[in-house]
Amino acid sequence: MKKVFNVICIKWGTAYPSEYVNNLYSMIKRNTSYEINFYCFTEDNKKLDKNIIIKPLPILNTLDEYKTKYAYRKEAALCDDNLGDLIGQRVFFLDLDVVITSNLDDLFTYPENDKFYIINDWNTKGNHIGQASCYSWVVGTLGYIKIYFEKNPKEVIDQYYTASQEYLSSKVIEKYGKLNFWPEDWFCSFRFHCLNKIGPLRHFFEAKIPTDREGLKVIVFHGDPNPKEASLGIWKLKKKQPWKRLYKVCKPVTWIEKYWY
């Protein structure tokens, strides 16, 4: 009998259309020999692949302003002790804005016991913050993170503002003493590792998949641009600071099409 692994994602609002959920499901299915139960926690299941298991958004028992304005619906609400009726089962969370480039079998079999695993954040020195584009835990072990946020939302947001992955990391360290990280070479950042490090040269050279990461599995598109935008050469500037166009730019990335479908 094939071992079954649980992969989850979350989609709310209009930031990402159904295409992103369907592509994530398709990429995972193509890149593992294991059987996968793929769950999407969402309030809108229109146009989602019929094989995706739909679950309602996890409930955050707090004021609406703390549910919608900040990203804690992911890093706090998903910690629910009976998330999706999966209590006692290991789940693997992936953000919708990732591109999977190779086989994931080693990732699914990597966790030990009921340990929590996350990417070591590339933008932080030290080992105290996880990059939450891919993390894994056993449902029923992190409920205290959701409960604390529900009881103290203002305190959490005053300290972390929108940095919900920092809140998640701090609470895991508080209980377990440390973060357990995936092997470094398995993940990379599109912005930090694929784009030319000299900003103005991005006008002339296409982003590349780094060759110094043996066994690279997932490229993370945190922030802007997302995979579709990068494939089209679009980088939206959110603020009226035109000088940022000197380095916030990417030529159309032709290789994304090979993986992201």
Side-chain angles (χ1 to χ4, degrees):
M1 180 181 295
K2 276 191 174 182
K3 191 166 184 178
V4 180
F5 291 94
N6 302 305
V7 177
I8 69 171
C9 69
I10 187 168
K11 173 187 177 296
W12 77 90
T14 59
Y16 293 102
S18 58
E19 175 187 19
Y20 278 76
V21 181
N22 292 336
N23 283 7
L24 178 60
Y25 172 67
S26 178
M27 286 188 291
I28 289 169
K29 293 286 287 185
R30 290 198 310 273
N31 284 287
T32 183
S33 62
Y34 294 116
E35 186 174 337
I36 297 295
N37 287 332
F38 186 91
Y39 297 83
C40 180
F41 292 83
T42 183
E43 83 281 29
D44 179 12
N45 64 359
K46 293 190 293 290
K47 298 183 180 180
L48 294 185
D49 188 292
K50 64 180 181 180
N51 295 306
I52 293 173
I53 303 168
I54 308 301
K55 293 287 185 178
L57 287 174
I59 295 172
L60 270 178
N61 293 306
T62 186
L63 297 176
D64 284 345
E65 64 181 289
Y66 299 122
K67 297 178 188 177
T68 57
K69 188 176 179 181
Y70 307 96
Y72 292 86
R73 195 187 293 273
K74 185 181 101 174
E75 279 92 346
L78 286 178
C79 292
D80 190 294
D81 269 340
N82 194 27
L83 180 72
D85 298 319
L86 292 167
I87 188 166
Q89 298 184 53
R90 178 168 289 280
V91 295
F92 295 80
F93 171 85
L94 281 153
D95 264 338
L96 296 179
D97 52 356
V98 301
V99 171
I100 297 172
T101 59
S102 69
N103 189 275
L104 298 173
D105 285 358
D106 289 343
L107 183 142
F108 291 137
T109 58
Y110 189 78
E112 298 177 347
N113 304 318
D114 63 350
K115 292 180 180 178
F116 172 91
Y117 290 85
I118 196 167
I119 303 168
N120 197 346
D121 186 57
W122 304 290
N123 204 30
T124 306
K125 292 182 179 179
N127 297 314
H128 61 287
I129 295 177
Q131 212 290 336
S133 289
C134 178
Y135 56 104
S136 178
W137 74 101
V138 173
V139 175
T141 62
L142 299 183
Y144 67 98
I145 295 174
K146 176 176 180 284
I147 292 169
Y148 190 89
F149 179 80
E150 290 173 331
K151 290 181 176 179
N152 308 280
K154 186 178 186 305
E155 173 196 316
V156 172
I157 288 170
D158 283 348
Q159 181 173 356
Y160 297 101
Y161 191 47
T162 59
S164 49
Q165 65 185 16
E166 293 185 20
Y167 168 67
L168 171 67
S169 299
S170 71
K171 298 304 284 184
V172 171
I173 292 173
E174 182 181 296
K175 182 171 182 178
Y176 295 103
K178 67 172 185 175
L179 296 173
N180 298 301
F181 297 116
W182 303 113
E184 183 177 353
D185 285 352
W186 287 1
F187 296 86
C188 79
S189 159
F190 177 75
R191 290 176 64 180
F192 297 153
H193 305 119
C194 298
L195 287 168
N196 197 297
K197 295 188 185 305
I198 302 174
L201 293 183
R202 297 171 184 172
H203 290 267
F204 308 101
F205 297 100
E206 181 180 347
K208 297 179 179 179
I209 297 176
T211 57
D212 60 344
R213 288 178 177 256
E214 186 176 349
L216 177 66
K217 300 179 183 300
V218 180
I219 299 175
V220 176
F221 287 72
H222 50 101
D224 298 311
N226 62 43
K228 190 165 191 176
E229 290 169 342
S231 71
L232 298 172
I234 297 170
W235 192 326
K236 297 175 183 176
L237 291 182
K238 294 182 178 179
K239 297 180 180 179
K240 294 181 180 180
Q241 295 176 306
W243 58 269
K244 287 190 175 182
R245 185 59 66 200
L246 288 171
Y247 64 93
K248 287 198 169 186
V249 65
C250 71
K251 289 174 65 65
V253 184
T254 56
W255 48 262
I256 289 176
E257 185 179 315
K258 175 182 176 182
Y259 301 102
W260 192 70
Y261 66 92

